Amino acid sequence: MKLLLLLLILIGIISYTSSCDSNGSCGNSPFTLCKNNATLLENGGQRIDIDKENGRILFTIKYSDEFEPRVVSVPIQPQVNENGNYLKSQNTLFGQTTYTKVIGLLQLVDSKSQNIVIDIERRIAGPTSNIFFTNNTIGNELTWNQIGNFIFKQSTNTQYTCWPYANKIFKGEIGKYNDLGETLYNGPCFEMKSNGINTATTSGNDDGSDLYIYDGTNVIYKGSLSPKSNGGYIRDLPMVYNESKAYTIKEFDVSTSDLYYSNQFDKKLYSISLSNTFGPKKTILSDLPTSFKYYNDFIYYSLNGKISRINVNTGLNEILFDSNLNKSHCICAQGFTGDSCDHCDQSNNLISWVNGIPRCIPLTNDGNPITCDYNYQCKSGICREVPISGGVKGC
Protein backbone atom coordinates (compact mmCIF):
# COMPACT_ATOMS: atom_id res chain seq x y z
CA MET A 1 0.00 0.00 0.00
CA LYS A 2 2.81 2.44 0.87
CA LEU A 3 4.54 1.61 -2.42
CA LEU A 4 1.31 2.21 -4.33
CA LEU A 5 0.82 5.55 -2.57
CA LEU A 6 4.40 6.57 -3.39
CA LEU A 7 3.85 5.68 -7.04
CA LEU A 8 0.65 7.73 -7.16
CA ILE A 9 2.45 10.72 -5.65
CA LEU A 10 5.25 10.40 -8.20
CA ILE A 11 2.75 10.14 -11.04
CA GLY A 12 1.09 13.31 -9.77
CA ILE A 13 4.41 15.13 -9.68
CA ILE A 14 5.35 13.94 -13.15
CA SER A 15 2.02 15.08 -14.52
CA TYR A 16 2.85 18.63 -13.45
CA THR A 17 6.38 18.66 -14.80
CA SER A 18 6.43 16.52 -17.94
CA SER A 19 5.12 17.57 -21.36
CA CYS A 20 1.38 17.49 -21.92
CA ASP A 21 -0.97 16.91 -24.81
CA SER A 22 -4.31 17.78 -23.18
CA ASN A 23 -5.72 19.45 -20.06
CA GLY A 24 -6.44 16.01 -18.63
CA SER A 25 -2.74 15.16 -18.61
CA CYS A 26 -1.89 18.02 -16.26
CA GLY A 27 -2.96 16.40 -13.01
CA ASN A 28 -5.83 18.58 -11.78
CA SER A 29 -7.96 19.43 -14.79
CA PRO A 30 -9.73 21.79 -15.36
CA PHE A 31 -7.81 23.90 -12.82
CA THR A 32 -4.62 22.98 -14.67
CA LEU A 33 -4.36 23.64 -18.39
CA CYS A 34 -2.10 22.32 -21.13
CA LYS A 35 -0.93 25.44 -22.98
CA ASN A 36 1.45 26.58 -25.68
CA ASN A 37 1.98 29.76 -27.72
CA ALA A 38 3.40 31.65 -24.73
CA THR A 39 5.03 34.90 -25.82
CA LEU A 40 7.62 36.43 -23.49
CA LEU A 41 6.73 40.12 -23.10
CA GLU A 42 9.90 42.17 -23.17
CA ASN A 43 8.99 45.60 -24.54
CA GLY A 44 7.17 48.55 -23.04
CA GLY A 45 8.74 48.43 -19.59
CA GLN A 46 8.44 44.77 -18.55
CA ARG A 47 11.28 43.59 -16.33
CA ILE A 48 12.37 40.40 -14.63
CA ASP A 49 12.94 39.85 -10.93
CA ILE A 50 14.33 37.10 -8.70
CA ASP A 51 12.55 35.44 -5.79
CA LYS A 52 15.69 34.43 -3.92
CA GLU A 53 13.95 32.66 -1.03
CA ASN A 54 12.05 30.32 -3.36
CA GLY A 55 14.76 30.15 -6.03
CA ARG A 56 12.66 31.39 -8.95
CA ILE A 57 12.86 34.08 -11.62
CA LEU A 58 9.69 36.04 -12.43
CA PHE A 59 8.72 37.47 -15.83
CA THR A 60 5.66 38.30 -17.95
CA ILE A 61 4.15 36.17 -20.72
CA LYS A 62 0.96 36.20 -22.77
CA TYR A 63 -0.85 33.27 -24.36
CA SER A 64 -2.39 33.71 -27.80
CA ASP A 65 -5.78 32.46 -26.56
CA GLU A 66 -5.89 34.63 -23.41
CA PHE A 67 -6.54 38.35 -23.15
CA GLU A 68 -4.73 39.04 -19.87
CA PRO A 69 -0.93 38.77 -19.52
CA ARG A 70 0.47 36.59 -16.74
CA VAL A 71 3.40 36.87 -14.38
CA VAL A 72 5.02 33.43 -14.22
CA SER A 73 8.24 31.97 -12.83
CA VAL A 74 10.76 29.22 -13.47
CA PRO A 75 13.53 27.90 -11.20
CA ILE A 76 16.77 29.86 -11.30
CA GLN A 77 18.62 26.56 -11.65
CA PRO A 78 18.43 24.80 -15.04
CA GLN A 79 16.08 21.81 -15.03
CA VAL A 80 16.63 18.29 -16.36
CA ASN A 81 13.67 18.69 -18.72
CA GLU A 82 14.37 21.75 -20.87
CA ASN A 83 10.84 22.12 -22.22
CA GLY A 84 9.45 24.81 -19.95
CA ASN A 85 7.05 22.53 -18.10
CA TYR A 86 8.23 23.79 -14.72
CA LEU A 87 6.48 27.09 -15.43
CA LYS A 88 4.54 28.37 -12.41
CA SER A 89 1.63 30.81 -12.61
CA GLN A 90 2.22 33.65 -10.12
CA ASN A 91 -0.46 36.18 -11.15
CA THR A 92 -2.98 36.78 -13.92
CA LEU A 93 -2.92 40.52 -14.59
CA PHE A 94 -6.61 41.37 -14.67
CA GLY A 95 -7.64 45.02 -14.71
CA GLN A 96 -7.56 46.48 -18.22
CA THR A 97 -10.27 49.08 -18.83
CA THR A 98 -11.11 51.81 -21.33
CA TYR A 99 -8.45 54.13 -19.92
CA THR A 100 -6.05 51.61 -18.38
CA LYS A 101 -3.76 49.11 -20.09
CA VAL A 102 -1.91 46.57 -17.93
CA ILE A 103 1.63 46.22 -19.28
CA GLY A 104 3.43 43.70 -17.06
CA LEU A 105 5.82 43.02 -14.19
CA LEU A 106 8.12 45.72 -12.85
CA GLN A 107 9.44 43.97 -9.76
CA LEU A 108 8.69 41.73 -6.80
CA VAL A 109 7.71 43.45 -3.55
CA ASP A 110 8.60 40.59 -1.25
CA SER A 111 9.33 36.87 -1.46
CA LYS A 112 7.07 36.01 1.46
CA SER A 113 3.98 37.94 0.42
CA GLN A 114 4.56 37.37 -3.34
CA ASN A 115 2.99 40.76 -4.07
CA ILE A 116 4.40 42.45 -7.16
CA VAL A 117 4.65 45.89 -8.75
CA ILE A 118 3.16 46.19 -12.22
CA ASP A 119 3.41 48.78 -14.97
CA ILE A 120 0.05 50.28 -15.98
CA GLU A 121 -0.45 52.65 -18.90
CA ARG A 122 -3.04 55.35 -18.30
CA ARG A 123 -4.20 56.25 -21.80
CA ILE A 124 -4.35 59.96 -20.89
CA ALA A 125 -1.88 60.43 -18.01
CA GLY A 126 0.84 57.98 -19.09
CA PRO A 127 2.57 55.16 -17.15
CA THR A 128 2.03 54.42 -13.47
CA SER A 129 3.29 51.87 -10.94
CA ASN A 130 0.79 49.87 -8.92
CA ILE A 131 0.99 47.06 -6.36
CA PHE A 132 -0.74 43.90 -7.61
CA PHE A 133 -1.62 41.68 -4.68
CA THR A 134 -1.64 37.88 -4.70
CA ASN A 135 -5.43 37.87 -4.24
CA ASN A 136 -5.68 39.30 -7.79
CA THR A 137 -6.47 42.85 -6.70
CA ILE A 138 -4.69 46.02 -7.82
CA GLY A 139 -3.63 48.07 -4.84
CA ASN A 140 -2.40 51.60 -4.32
CA GLU A 141 -0.80 53.57 -7.10
CA LEU A 142 2.85 54.09 -6.17
CA THR A 143 3.89 56.67 -8.78
CA TRP A 144 2.40 58.23 -11.88
CA ASN A 145 3.65 59.82 -15.11
CA GLN A 146 6.94 57.93 -14.75
CA ILE A 147 6.91 54.46 -13.27
CA GLY A 148 9.73 54.75 -10.75
CA ASN A 149 12.08 52.24 -9.16
CA PHE A 150 11.64 50.76 -5.69
CA ILE A 151 13.38 49.00 -2.83
CA PHE A 152 11.06 47.31 -0.34
CA LYS A 153 11.58 45.95 3.16
CA GLN A 154 8.42 44.09 4.11
CA SER A 155 9.54 43.35 7.68
CA THR A 156 9.49 47.06 8.54
CA ASN A 157 6.85 48.09 5.96
CA THR A 158 9.44 50.39 4.37
CA GLN A 159 9.41 51.52 0.76
CA TYR A 160 12.22 53.46 -0.92
CA THR A 161 11.16 55.18 -4.15
CA CYS A 162 13.39 56.56 -6.88
CA TRP A 163 10.99 58.73 -8.90
CA PRO A 164 12.37 60.42 -12.03
CA TYR A 165 9.33 62.71 -12.31
CA ALA A 166 10.00 64.33 -8.93
CA ASN A 167 13.82 64.17 -9.09
CA LYS A 168 13.89 62.71 -5.59
CA ILE A 169 14.35 59.53 -3.57
CA PHE A 170 11.68 58.97 -0.92
CA LYS A 171 11.38 56.76 2.16
CA GLY A 172 7.89 55.87 3.38
CA GLU A 173 5.36 53.12 4.01
CA ILE A 174 4.77 50.38 1.45
CA GLY A 175 1.86 51.14 -0.86
CA LYS A 176 0.58 54.21 0.93
CA TYR A 177 -1.59 55.97 -1.65
CA ASN A 178 -0.34 59.31 -2.93
CA ASP A 179 2.23 59.60 -0.14
CA LEU A 180 5.78 58.40 -0.79
CA GLY A 181 7.01 59.60 2.59
CA GLU A 182 9.95 61.82 3.47
CA THR A 183 12.65 62.94 1.07
CA LEU A 184 15.78 60.83 1.40
CA TYR A 185 17.80 62.55 -1.36
CA ASN A 186 17.21 65.37 -3.83
CA GLY A 187 18.27 65.30 -7.45
CA PRO A 188 17.77 63.27 -10.63
CA CYS A 189 17.25 59.56 -9.88
CA PHE A 190 16.51 57.15 -12.71
CA GLU A 191 17.31 53.87 -10.96
CA MET A 192 18.67 52.72 -7.59
CA LYS A 193 20.02 49.47 -6.17
CA SER A 194 21.45 48.27 -2.88
CA ASN A 195 23.70 45.33 -2.08
CA GLY A 196 22.49 45.31 1.54
CA ILE A 197 18.77 44.92 0.84
CA ASN A 198 16.87 44.34 -2.37
CA THR A 199 13.41 43.79 -3.80
CA ALA A 200 13.33 40.03 -3.45
CA THR A 201 14.22 39.17 0.12
CA THR A 202 12.86 39.81 3.58
CA SER A 203 16.32 39.72 5.12
CA GLY A 204 18.78 42.57 5.33
CA ASN A 205 19.31 45.63 7.47
CA ASP A 206 18.67 49.08 6.06
CA ASP A 207 20.89 50.73 8.67
CA GLY A 208 24.09 51.62 6.88
CA SER A 209 23.25 49.67 3.71
CA ASP A 210 24.87 51.11 0.60
CA LEU A 211 22.56 52.73 -1.93
CA TYR A 212 23.71 53.06 -5.54
CA ILE A 213 21.93 55.73 -7.57
CA TYR A 214 21.95 56.24 -11.34
CA ASP A 215 21.17 59.85 -12.27
CA GLY A 216 19.73 59.03 -15.71
CA THR A 217 22.57 60.55 -17.72
CA ASN A 218 25.90 58.80 -17.17
CA VAL A 219 26.84 58.89 -13.45
CA ILE A 220 26.26 56.37 -10.65
CA TYR A 221 26.60 57.66 -7.08
CA LYS A 222 26.90 55.94 -3.71
CA GLY A 223 24.67 56.91 -0.81
CA SER A 224 22.97 55.15 2.09
CA LEU A 225 19.51 53.81 2.84
CA SER A 226 19.89 55.47 6.23
CA PRO A 227 21.83 58.70 5.70
CA LYS A 228 22.87 60.80 8.68
CA SER A 229 20.61 63.62 7.50
CA ASN A 230 17.77 63.43 4.97
CA GLY A 231 17.29 65.86 2.13
CA GLY A 232 20.88 66.01 0.86
CA TYR A 233 21.70 66.22 -2.84
CA ILE A 234 22.61 63.20 -4.93
CA ARG A 235 25.22 65.20 -6.83
CA ASP A 236 27.12 65.75 -3.56
CA LEU A 237 27.50 62.00 -2.94
CA PRO A 238 30.66 60.09 -3.86
CA MET A 239 30.72 59.20 -7.56
CA VAL A 240 31.06 55.46 -8.17
CA TYR A 241 31.17 55.39 -11.96
CA ASN A 242 31.03 57.84 -14.84
CA GLU A 243 30.19 56.37 -18.23
CA SER A 244 32.02 58.27 -20.95
CA LYS A 245 28.98 58.51 -23.25
CA ALA A 246 25.91 60.09 -21.69
CA TYR A 247 22.50 58.40 -21.76
CA THR A 248 23.94 54.99 -22.64
CA ILE A 249 23.33 53.11 -19.34
CA LYS A 250 20.09 51.17 -19.77
CA GLU A 251 20.01 49.26 -16.47
CA PHE A 252 22.42 48.43 -13.65
CA ASP A 253 22.82 46.12 -10.67
CA VAL A 254 25.44 45.56 -7.98
CA SER A 255 27.01 42.74 -6.03
CA THR A 256 29.19 43.17 -2.96
CA SER A 257 32.21 43.53 -5.24
CA ASP A 258 31.10 44.59 -8.72
CA LEU A 259 28.89 46.95 -10.69
CA TYR A 260 27.01 45.51 -13.68
CA TYR A 261 25.37 47.64 -16.33
CA SER A 262 23.91 47.30 -19.82
CA ASN A 263 25.11 49.80 -22.41
CA GLN A 264 22.65 50.92 -25.07
CA PHE A 265 25.39 52.39 -27.28
CA ASP A 266 27.70 49.36 -27.32
CA LYS A 267 24.78 46.86 -27.08
CA LYS A 268 26.66 44.97 -24.36
CA LEU A 269 26.54 44.20 -20.63
CA TYR A 270 29.64 45.05 -18.60
CA SER A 271 31.03 44.54 -15.12
CA ILE A 272 33.51 46.72 -13.29
CA SER A 273 35.07 46.33 -9.86
CA LEU A 274 33.59 48.59 -7.19
CA SER A 275 37.03 48.83 -5.62
CA ASN A 276 38.49 50.30 -8.83
CA THR A 277 35.83 51.78 -11.09
CA PHE A 278 38.56 53.58 -13.06
CA GLY A 279 39.99 50.21 -14.01
CA PRO A 280 39.14 48.09 -17.06
CA LYS A 281 35.59 46.88 -17.55
CA LYS A 282 34.77 43.29 -18.44
CA THR A 283 32.28 42.25 -21.10
CA ILE A 284 29.76 39.82 -19.60
CA LEU A 285 27.32 39.74 -22.53
CA SER A 286 27.93 40.79 -26.13
CA ASP A 287 24.21 41.51 -26.46
CA LEU A 288 21.90 44.08 -24.90
CA PRO A 289 19.44 42.32 -22.59
CA THR A 290 15.90 43.62 -22.29
CA SER A 291 16.17 43.30 -18.51
CA PHE A 292 18.67 41.71 -16.12
CA LYS A 293 19.36 40.94 -12.46
CA TYR A 294 22.52 39.83 -10.65
CA TYR A 295 22.34 37.02 -8.11
CA ASN A 296 24.98 34.72 -6.65
CA ASP A 297 27.61 34.84 -9.44
CA PHE A 298 25.02 34.85 -12.24
CA ILE A 299 23.41 37.47 -14.42
CA TYR A 300 19.80 36.48 -15.13
CA TYR A 301 18.39 38.21 -18.20
CA SER A 302 15.66 38.30 -20.84
CA LEU A 303 16.49 38.57 -24.54
CA ASN A 304 14.83 37.50 -27.79
CA GLY A 305 12.06 35.49 -26.18
CA LYS A 306 14.36 33.68 -23.76
CA ILE A 307 15.10 33.80 -20.04
CA SER A 308 18.76 32.90 -19.56
CA ARG A 309 21.59 33.12 -17.08
CA ILE A 310 25.33 33.56 -17.51
CA ASN A 311 28.03 32.86 -14.94
CA VAL A 312 30.02 36.08 -14.46
CA ASN A 313 33.18 34.10 -13.69
CA THR A 314 33.13 31.30 -16.27
CA GLY A 315 30.94 32.77 -19.02
CA LEU A 316 28.76 29.64 -19.07
CA ASN A 317 25.41 30.62 -20.60
CA GLU A 318 22.25 28.58 -19.95
CA ILE A 319 18.67 28.98 -21.19
CA LEU A 320 16.03 28.66 -18.44
CA PHE A 321 12.91 29.32 -20.55
CA ASP A 322 12.50 29.64 -24.31
CA SER A 323 9.15 30.88 -25.58
CA ASN A 324 10.32 30.33 -29.17
CA LEU A 325 10.19 26.53 -28.76
CA ASN A 326 6.38 26.65 -28.45
CA LYS A 327 6.28 23.39 -26.49
CA SER A 328 3.19 22.50 -24.49
CA HIS A 329 3.33 22.80 -20.71
CA CYS A 330 0.98 22.62 -17.73
CA ILE A 331 -0.08 25.80 -15.97
CA CYS A 332 -2.86 27.01 -13.69
CA ALA A 333 -6.14 28.29 -15.08
CA GLN A 334 -6.36 32.10 -15.09
CA GLY A 335 -6.26 33.66 -11.63
CA PHE A 336 -5.67 30.35 -9.83
CA THR A 337 -2.48 29.64 -7.89
CA GLY A 338 -0.99 26.99 -5.61
CA ASP A 339 0.77 23.69 -6.18
CA SER A 340 -2.52 22.10 -7.29
CA CYS A 341 -3.74 25.25 -9.07
CA ASP A 342 -6.97 25.23 -7.06
CA HIS A 343 -6.49 28.29 -4.83
CA CYS A 344 -8.98 31.13 -5.35
CA ASP A 345 -10.00 33.33 -2.43
CA GLN A 346 -13.74 33.65 -3.02
CA SER A 347 -14.09 36.40 -0.41
CA ASN A 348 -12.79 38.84 -3.03
CA ASN A 349 -12.82 36.79 -6.23
CA LEU A 350 -15.47 35.26 -8.48
CA ILE A 351 -15.04 31.84 -10.09
CA SER A 352 -16.37 32.09 -13.62
CA TRP A 353 -16.77 28.99 -15.82
CA VAL A 354 -16.43 29.33 -19.60
CA ASN A 355 -16.69 26.17 -21.71
CA GLY A 356 -15.83 24.04 -18.67
CA ILE A 357 -12.72 26.10 -17.81
CA PRO A 358 -12.67 28.21 -14.60
CA ARG A 359 -11.29 31.71 -14.12
CA CYS A 360 -10.63 33.28 -10.70
CA ILE A 361 -11.64 36.90 -11.32
CA PRO A 362 -11.15 39.65 -8.68
CA LEU A 363 -14.12 41.64 -7.41
CA THR A 364 -14.04 45.43 -7.26
CA ASN A 365 -15.17 47.50 -4.26
CA ASP A 366 -18.71 47.71 -5.66
CA GLY A 367 -18.99 43.91 -5.79
CA ASN A 368 -18.74 43.59 -9.56
CA PRO A 369 -16.02 41.43 -11.13
CA ILE A 370 -13.12 43.39 -12.62
CA THR A 371 -13.95 41.64 -15.90
CA CYS A 372 -17.03 39.56 -16.62
CA ASP A 373 -18.14 36.67 -18.80
CA TYR A 374 -21.93 36.70 -18.32
CA ASN A 375 -24.68 39.26 -17.65
CA TYR A 376 -25.74 37.65 -14.39
CA GLN A 377 -22.29 38.34 -12.88
CA CYS A 378 -22.95 42.11 -12.99
CA LYS A 379 -25.20 43.97 -10.57
CA SER A 380 -26.59 45.93 -13.52
CA GLY A 381 -27.37 42.69 -15.33
CA ILE A 382 -25.25 43.75 -18.32
CA CYS A 383 -21.77 42.41 -19.24
CA ARG A 384 -20.48 44.02 -22.40
CA GLU A 385 -17.26 44.72 -24.25
CA VAL A 386 -15.43 47.72 -22.82
CA PRO A 387 -14.66 50.41 -25.46
CA ILE A 388 -11.05 50.64 -26.69
CA SER A 389 -9.94 47.97 -24.22
CA GLY A 390 -8.94 45.37 -26.79
CA GLY A 391 -11.87 43.02 -26.23
CA VAL A 392 -12.16 42.77 -22.44
CA LYS A 393 -15.69 42.73 -21.02
CA GLY A 394 -16.91 44.66 -17.99
CA CYS A 395 -20.03 45.43 -15.97
Side-chain angles (χ1 to χ4, degrees):
M1 180 62 70
K2 289 183 179 180
L3 179 59
L4 177 60
L5 180 61
L6 178 60
L7 287 173
L8 289 173
I9 291 173
L10 288 174
I11 290 171
I13 293 172
I14 290 170
S15 69
Y16 280 95
T17 57
S18 60
S19 59
C20 59
D21 52 22
S22 66
N23 292 345
S25 64
C26 285
N28 193 23
S29 178
F31 299 98
T32 51
L33 305 176
C34 182
K35 307 279 284 186
N36 55 19
N37 293 317
T39 300
L40 176 63
L41 301 183
E42 298 179 89
N43 298 316
Q46 294 95 348
R47 300 175 188 168
I48 65 172
D49 208 346
I50 298 175
D51 178 353
K52 296 181 174 67
E53 291 188 4
N54 296 296
R56 303 188 71 86
I57 181 168
L58 282 71
F59 51 96
T60 309
I61 65 170
K62 190 176 186 303
Y63 292 106
S64 59
D65 61 345
E66 292 183 356
F67 177 78
E68 288 84 7
R70 294 179 183 235
V71 173
V72 298
S73 67
V74 295
I76 61 175
Q77 297 288 344
Q79 301 296 289
V80 175
N81 56 330
E82 298 292 345
N83 55 12
N85 294 309
Y86 42 94
L87 203 66
K88 179 180 178 181
S89 185
Q90 303 282 146
N91 306 81
T92 299
L93 301 184
F94 295 104
Q96 186 152 312
T97 66
T98 300
Y99 300 106
T100 301
K101 183 178 180 181
V102 179
I103 306 299
L105 172 72
L106 284 178
Q107 63 188 89
L108 183 65
V109 173
D110 173 70
S111 288
K112 187 175 182 179
S113 71
Q114 292 293 295
N115 298 322
I116 60 175
V117 180
I118 59 172
D119 182 8
I120 291 179
E121 181 74 28
R122 303 290 188 195
R123 299 185 192 275
I124 296 176
T128 70
S129 302
N130 291 72
I131 289 184
F132 194 95
F133 295 106
T134 51
N135 63 6
N136 288 338
T137 59
I138 296 177
N140 290 339
E141 191 167 85
L142 303 181
T143 62
W144 61 277
N145 195 285
Q146 294 190 34
I147 55 179
N149 175 252
F150 311 93
I151 293 175
F152 298 100
K153 189 174 183 184
Q154 191 88 13
S155 60
T156 58
N157 194 35
T158 305
Q159 172 184 313
Y160 302 87
T161 305
C162 161
W163 193 16
Y165 182 75
N167 284 337
K168 288 184 178 182
I169 297 177
F170 298 92
K171 178 181 179 181
E173 297 178 23
I174 293 178
K176 192 171 182 179
Y177 181 71
N178 204 27
D179 184 1
L180 297 177
E182 61 182 341
T183 299
L184 199 67
Y185 288 108
N186 289 284
C189 175
F190 183 80
E191 187 177 8
M192 64 178 182
K193 296 289 171 67
S194 173
N195 57 17
I197 174 179
N198 56 59
T199 60
T201 180
T202 56
S203 62
N205 182 358
D206 49 359
D207 292 331
S209 295
D210 294 332
L211 177 65
Y212 295 87
I213 306 161
Y214 172 47
D215 70 351
T217 58
N218 59 334
V219 182
I220 295 174
Y221 297 92
K222 182 179 178 180
S224 171
L225 289 169
S226 296
K228 293 181 180 179
S229 60
N230 295 343
Y233 286 90
I234 293 173
R235 66 172 181 265
D236 295 331
L237 296 172
M239 185 181 69
V240 174
Y241 184 67
N242 189 343
E243 173 58 45
S244 58
K245 293 183 176 63
Y247 303 105
T248 60
I249 296 178
K250 180 173 184 272
E251 191 176 6
F252 85 97
D253 208 349
V254 290
S255 68
T256 55
S257 59
D258 293 277
L259 165 72
Y260 302 89
Y261 74 97
S262 52
N263 188 303
Q264 298 180 96
F265 181 79
D266 295 340
K267 308 295 184 186
K268 293 180 180 181
L269 189 147
Y270 296 107
S271 71
I272 191 162
S273 172
L274 288 172
S275 62
N276 182 19
T277 54
F278 294 100
K281 57 187 179 183
K282 175 184 176 182
T283 300
I284 302 296
L285 275 175
S286 295
D287 294 292
L288 182 68
T290 306
S291 178
F292 81 91
K293 293 281 182 179
Y294 170 85
Y295 176 57
N296 199 22
D297 290 335
F298 285 90
I299 293 290
Y300 294 83
Y301 65 98
S302 62
L303 179 66
N304 297 330
K306 302 180 184 70
I307 300 294
S308 306
R309 74 173 191 171
I310 185 169
N311 189 300
V312 298
N313 300 313
T314 66
L316 176 64
N317 209 332
E318 303 163 289
I319 298 174
L320 304 179
F321 175 79
D322 189 348
S323 64
N324 304 303
L325 295 179
N326 196 28
K327 290 188 176 182
S328 297
H329 52 258
C330 297
I331 198 160
C332 297
Q334 283 185 297
F336 287 88
T337 56
D339 293 337
S340 299
C341 295
D342 56 2
H343 178 72
C344 176
D345 182 358
Q346 294 187 60
S347 66
N348 48 34
N349 291 271
L350 167 75
I351 296 181
S352 178
W353 293 84
V354 180
N355 297 323
I357 303 298
R359 297 205 299 163
C360 179
I361 301 174
L363 298 173
T364 60
N365 291 333
D366 61 8
N368 284 310
I370 199 168
T371 182
C372 56
D373 295 313
Y374 306 103
N375 288 337
Y376 75 85
Q377 295 171 340
C378 301
K379 290 188 173 182
S380 66
I382 300 175
C383 173
R384 57 184 149 207
E385 186 169 319
V386 179
I388 67 169
S389 67
V392 69
K393 290 184 176 181
C395 297

